Amino acid sequence: MKSQIIKNLELNGFPKKSVSLPLEKMYEVADSKGENLNAILDELTEQGIGHVKTSNKIIFSEKTPESFNPADFNMGGDMMKKVQEMMSSMKPEDLQKIKDQVSNMSEEEKANLMQKAKTTGLP
C-alpha cells in the first residue's frame, strides 16, 4: 500500500505540490488489505514524506512540518492565549500554511517575527 500511496502522490504533483487524500478512504483501504495506515504513514515520514491529518483528509508534503508551538517563541501568557484562540478558529488549510511558513524560517526570521508581534499591540 505504501508504494500505491507514493504513486498517487506523484501522479498529483508531489513533491512540488502538497497533495491531500481522503482520510476515511485511506483507513478503509488499509484495513481491507490488512495493513496499518498509521505504520505506513510513519514509514513515509522516515522517507521524508510528511503528512498532517485533518478531520477528513491527509495532507502530504515534501518535508514534515515542524509543530507550531507558540511556547517555543517565549510568549507572555496573554499573548499566547490570543494566538491559541486565533489558531483554534482557523481553517486547517490556513493553519497548515502558517506551519509551513514558520518551519521554513531561520532563527533570525523567527526572532524578527516575534519582535514585530510584540510591537503590534498584541497583549
Side-chain angles (χ1 to χ4, degrees):
M1 181 168 170
K2 182 171 76 169
S3 61
Q4 185 62 44
I5 292 171
I6 293 170
K7 182 179 177 183
N8 285 338
L9 294 176
E10 290 171 348
L11 289 173
N12 287 289
F14 184 86
K16 292 184 182 200
K17 292 195 227 173
S18 292
V19 176
S20 65
L21 298 175
L23 180 67
E24 189 172 334
K25 181 71 174 174
M26 298 280 293
Y27 275 110
E28 290 172 2
V29 171
D31 189 49
S32 71
K33 295 183 176 198
E35 297 192 43
N36 182 321
L37 181 59
N38 291 327
I40 292 169
L41 293 173
D42 289 342
E43 290 176 27
L44 291 172
T45 299
E46 290 173 11
Q47 292 180 323
I49 300 174
H51 69 278
V52 174
K53 292 180 191 174
T54 68
S55 60
N56 59 356
K57 60 187 170 182
I58 303 174
I59 304 168
F60 293 89
S61 59
E62 186 172 13
K63 71 178 202 174
T64 305
E66 296 174 13
S67 297
F68 178 75
N69 183 354
D72 293 342
F73 294 101
N74 298 319
M75 292 184 199
D78 289 340
M79 187 176 189
M80 193 151 115
K81 284 180 188 174
K82 179 74 173 166
V83 170
Q84 287 173 333
E85 287 172 15
M86 290 168 46
M87 288 172 57
S88 67
S89 65
M90 296 175 89
K91 292 187 224 172
E93 320 64 79
D94 294 335
L95 189 55
Q96 183 60 42
K97 285 179 189 177
I98 291 172
K99 287 180 179 179
D100 289 342
Q101 289 174 338
V102 171
S103 69
N104 291 323
M105 285 182 174
S106 68
E107 290 304 314
E108 182 179 338
E109 289 171 319
K110 288 177 186 178
N112 288 339
L113 177 64
M114 285 310 301
Q115 188 59 40
K116 286 179 186 176
K118 288 177 184 175
T119 60
T120 61
L122 284 173

